[in-house]
Amino acid sequence: MKLKDRVAIITGAGSGQGKASAKLFANEGAKVVIVEWNEENGKSVEQEIIQDGHEALFIKTDISKEEDVINVVQQVMDTYGKIDILFNNASVGFSARSKYKMAQVQDTPLEDWNSIIGINLNGAYLMCKHILPIMIKQKGGNIINNSSMNGLIGVTGADAYTAAKGGVVALTRVMAVDNGKHNIRVNCICPGAIDTPMIAEVLEDATVAKNFAAGPLGRVGKPEEIATAALFLASDDSSYITGLIMPVDGGWSAV
Ligand SMILES: NC(=O)c1ccc[n+]([C@@H]2O[C@H](COP(=O)([O-])OP(=O)(O)OC[C@H]3O[C@@H](n4cnc5c(N)ncnc54)[C@H](O)[C@@H]3O)[C@@H](O)[C@H]2O)c1
C-alpha cells in the first residue's frame, strides 16, 4: 500500500491515463478524488473504485473555471481535511472528436488557442493556485503534471496544445524550485503516444500510427504504463526527486 490514507486529486480521471491512475492509486490505499467534466465517465470510475472496496469521490469540474476549482478544493477539505497528492492530468487535444482545432499557428483560430491554453495550461495553474496554499500549510505535498512529448520536442500540427504542454514543463520546474522548502515535490510526466480515447481516431490513420509507434520499443503505450509512472512519483519511492521532467514514451524522444 504505497499511498495508504493519502488524499489524491486526479483531474481528467474519467478516461484514459487519469482513469488508470485513479484505479491504481485507490488500489494502493489512496482516497481518490475524480475531477472530471464528463459526468457519466466520472461517476462510472467512482462506482468502479467503490465496488472494488476502495474510496473515491467524483466532483464534476471544468478545470479551466476558477469557481469550479475553488469548489473542488472546498469539497475535498470538507470531506477529508487534507490534500496530499495532485495529479494535473486533464487536457483536450489530438482527437478528431475534439471541437478545438489542432493545427499550426497560422491555422489556429484565437478562440481555439485560448480554449486549449485555458484547459491544458491554465487548468493546471488554477489547481495549483488553490492547492499549494493548503500543501504549504500542511508542510508537505506532491504535485505531478501530465505534459507530453510535445512539451519537449517539436511535433507538427498541434501548436496550441504543444505550447500549453511546454508551459506545463516550465511550470513544473519553477514550482519545484519555489516549493522544495515547503516539502512539496513537483514532477512532470511526458507521455509518448498512449492508447486512450484522446488519440483513438488519430491512430486509425496508418501513417500517424506508424510514426507514433516508431520509438525504440516499437509500439504505443498503455494508460496503465503512465499510471505506474505517476504512482512512482506520487509515492515515497521517489522521495528525493523533484523538478523531474520524465519522458514515458518508449524511447520516442531519445531517437
Ligand atoms: N494519449 C496520448 O497519446 C497522450 C500523449 C501525450 C500526453 N497526453 C496527455 O495525457 C493526459 C491524459 O490524456 P489521455 O490520453 O488519458 O486522454 P483522455 O481524453 O482519455 O482523457 C482526458 C480526460 O480529461 C478530461 N478533461 C478534459 N478537459 C477537461 C476539463 N476542462 N475539466 C475537467 N476534465 C477535463 C476529459 O473529459 C477526459 O476524461 C493529457 O494531459 C494529455 O494531454 C496524452
Side-chain angles (χ1 to χ4, degrees):
M1 294 283 239
K2 288 180 188 280
L3 302 179
K4 192 164 171 30
D5 293 332
R6 293 191 202 172
V7 176
I9 296 178
I10 305 179
T11 69
S15 173
Q17 301 167 47
K19 178 178 175 178
S21 301
K23 294 181 83 170
L24 181 61
F25 283 23
N27 280 341
E28 291 291 335
K31 301 171 202 303
V32 176
V33 182
I34 298 151
V35 167
E36 171 62 59
W37 67 358
N38 182 319
E39 191 163 3
E40 197 185 332
N41 287 351
K43 273 190 181 156
S44 141
V45 175
E46 180 191 51
Q47 281 317 305
E48 276 183 50
I49 291 175
I50 291 170
Q51 273 158 20
D52 284 347
H54 307 303
E55 204 161 333
L57 172 67
F58 164 60
I59 305 174
K60 185 169 192 244
T61 311
D62 177 349
I63 57 160
S64 69
K65 295 199 172 126
E66 190 160 22
E67 63 272 23
D68 279 23
V69 171
I70 290 169
N71 174 55
V72 166
V73 174
Q74 268 169 4
Q75 271 205 54
V76 175
M77 290 307 282
D78 288 348
T79 311
Y80 299 119
K82 64 170 186 165
I83 299 169
D84 299 302
I85 297 159
L86 166 63
F87 184 16
N88 281 314
N89 164 76
S91 277
V92 288
F94 268 110
S95 164
R97 282 189 296 261
S98 170
K99 62 179 179 169
Y100 309 107
K101 196 162 166 114
M102 295 290 137
Q104 293 183 20
V105 164
Q106 67 275 21
D107 298 320
T108 306
L110 179 60
E111 203 183 321
D112 288 10
W113 175 276
N114 286 337
S115 297
I116 294 162
I117 299 285
I119 295 168
N120 295 7
L121 179 57
N122 297 0
Y125 145 73
L126 284 173
M127 294 297 295
C128 293
K129 178 181 181 220
H130 291 284
I131 289 175
L132 271 170
I134 291 165
M135 290 182 168
I136 290 170
K137 211 166 154 199
Q138 287 172 181
K139 298 188 170 40
N142 191 314
I143 298 175
I144 302 149
N145 295 323
N146 208 348
S147 175
S148 168
M149 58 187 171
N150 289 54
L152 301 174
I153 51 181
V155 182
T156 184
D159 293 7
Y161 178 91
T162 297
K165 292 301 184 181
V168 168
V169 167
L171 189 62
T172 301
R173 286 205 184 94
V174 76
M175 288 198 307
V177 169
D178 289 342
N179 293 291
K181 60 179 176 287
H182 299 298
N183 190 33
I184 298 167
R185 299 192 290 115
V186 188
N187 293 296
C188 181
I189 297 171
C190 293
I194 308 297
D195 191 2
T196 69
M198 181 176 278
I199 64 162
E201 289 186 5
V202 181
L203 283 177
E204 282 167 18
D205 178 326
T207 314
V208 177
K210 199 173 160 205
N211 182 34
F212 277 177
L217 294 185
R219 62 174 176 85
V220 299
K222 301 179 208 131
E224 292 76 17
E225 292 174 307
I226 300 300
T228 49
L231 173 62
F232 169 68
L233 293 173
S235 76
D236 296 341
D237 284 351
S238 59
S239 55
Y240 197 50
I241 297 177
T242 193
L244 176 68
I245 311 300
M246 184 165 83
V248 183
D249 64 353
W252 204 88
S253 60
V255 177

